[in-house]
């Protein structure tokens, strides 16, 4: 029996990944436009993956210190601009051995709208997560998702909103970098890109059913 390599470092940069996808379509990667259109399809596909469900490698923990401000209480806090959604969240009080995580209930926009006094003060027990686009507005300012807590924090102690978020996958980049997926998802990534490209490349449409089936199976 031949000796194995002893390494487990195989990966694909964007160029190799796109070249493999073109070959599955029965095509060759020839021009700069081919690379550009493939990167565009790859970015669209990673957005589709975010809509399909929870991509575990994009789950990250974060926290926001909730501020007591008088006389105008702080109700709204921004999340990182690349946040897709929050999966879990708690209100944390204390530190180290005295730390306590307390449940905070997620409510809908309509439930939040029905709260008579949104400036009531106390320990926050409810949160409305406003899933804004994260895009840049006409003034060039990003519009991040945000949370609205109720009641607004009092000054009896420090409250920290601790959350676990689903973030967007990073963009395809300029071709020399890798893709923001773990190694086990590379087969699905190549299969999906092949399917996306076959919808655009002349003559590759005959392979669409096969490529779609492989993509679904790999995913």
């Amino acid at each position: 029996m031949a000796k194995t390599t002893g390494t487990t470092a195989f990966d694909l940069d964007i160029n190799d990944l796109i070249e493999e996808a073109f070959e599955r379509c029965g095509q060759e990667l020839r021009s700069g436009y081919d690379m550009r259109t493939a990167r565009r399809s790859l970015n669209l596909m990673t957005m589709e993956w975010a809509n399909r469900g929870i991509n575990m490698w994009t789950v990250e923990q974060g926290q926001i210190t909730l501020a007591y401000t008088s006389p105008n209480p702080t109700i709204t806090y921004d999340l990182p601009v690349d946040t897709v959604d929050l999966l879990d969240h708690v209100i944390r009080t204390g530190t180290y051995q005295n730390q306590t995580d307390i449940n905070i209930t997620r409510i809908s926009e309509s439930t939040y709208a029905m709260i008579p006094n949104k400036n009531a003060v106390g320990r926050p027990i409810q949160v409305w997560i406003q899933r804004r686009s994260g895009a840049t507005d006409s003034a060039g300012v990003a519009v991040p998702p945000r949370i609205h807590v109720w009641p607004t924090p009092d000054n009896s102690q420090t409250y920290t909103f601790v959350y676990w978020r689903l973030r967007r996958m990073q963009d395809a980049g300029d071709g020399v970098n890798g893709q923001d997926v773990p190694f086990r998802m590379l087969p699905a990534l190549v299969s999906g890109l092949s399917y996306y490209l076959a919808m655009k490349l002349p003559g590759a449409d005959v392979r669409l059913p096969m490529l779609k089936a492989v993509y679904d199976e790999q995913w």
Side-chain angles (χ1 to χ4, degrees), residues 49-50 53-60 82-87 164-168:
W49 282 19
I54 299 173
N55 304 309
M56 299 304 296
W57 67 93
T58 64
V59 176
E60 296 180 345
D82 61 346
T83 300
V84 176
D85 200 1
L86 299 190
L87 305 178
W164 289 261
R165 74 182 182 114
L166 185 68
R167 64 162 174 82
R168 286 182 57 171

Side-chain angles (χ1 to χ4, degrees), residues 1 3 14 16 45 82 86 88 98-99 102 111 122 137 141 151 164 179 199:
M1 179 177 176
K3 183 179 179 181
I14 299 299
D16 288 338
M45 190 180 70
D82 61 346
L86 299 190
D88 291 292
N98 297 321
Q99 175 180 298
I102 307 167
T111 301
D137 63 18
V141 178
W164 289 261
Q179 189 65 14
M199 289 189 281

Side-chain angles (χ1 to χ4, degrees), residues 29-149:
L29 180 62
R30 293 175 179 269
S31 67
Y33 177 77
D34 289 342
M35 180 65 70
R36 186 165 66 251
T37 190
R39 289 202 305 267
R40 183 169 63 244
S41 292
L42 190 57
N43 284 328
L44 288 170
M45 190 180 70
T46 57
M47 294 176 188
E48 177 212 340
W49 282 19
N51 290 328
R52 281 189 176 220
I54 299 173
N55 304 309
M56 299 304 296
W57 67 93
T58 64
V59 176
E60 296 180 345
Q61 183 179 344
Q63 61 183 43
I64 301 171
T65 300
L66 305 182
Y68 170 77
T69 54
S70 179
N72 299 313
T74 303
I75 301 172
T76 302
Y77 301 83
D78 288 341
L79 293 166
V81 71
D82 61 346
T83 300
V84 176
D85 200 1
L86 299 190
L87 305 178
D88 291 292
H89 30 71
V90 296
I91 292 294
R92 178 169 294 171
T93 61
T95 57
Y96 300 103
Q97 289 87 351
N98 297 321
Q99 175 180 298
T100 303
D101 287 348
I102 307 167
N103 180 57
I104 181 170
T105 303
R106 180 171 181 166
I107 60 175
S108 65
E109 178 274 334
S110 58
T111 301
Y112 181 80
M114 295 299 293
I115 295 174
N117 182 5
K118 297 177 178 59
N119 293 323
V121 176
R123 174 176 63 82
I125 59 173
Q126 294 181 323
V127 59
W128 166 41
I129 302 169
Q130 187 178 5
R131 296 178 62 189
R132 302 197 300 176
S133 67
T136 302
D137 63 18
S138 57
V141 178
V143 184
R146 57 176 42 167
I147 60 170
H148 303 252
V149 297

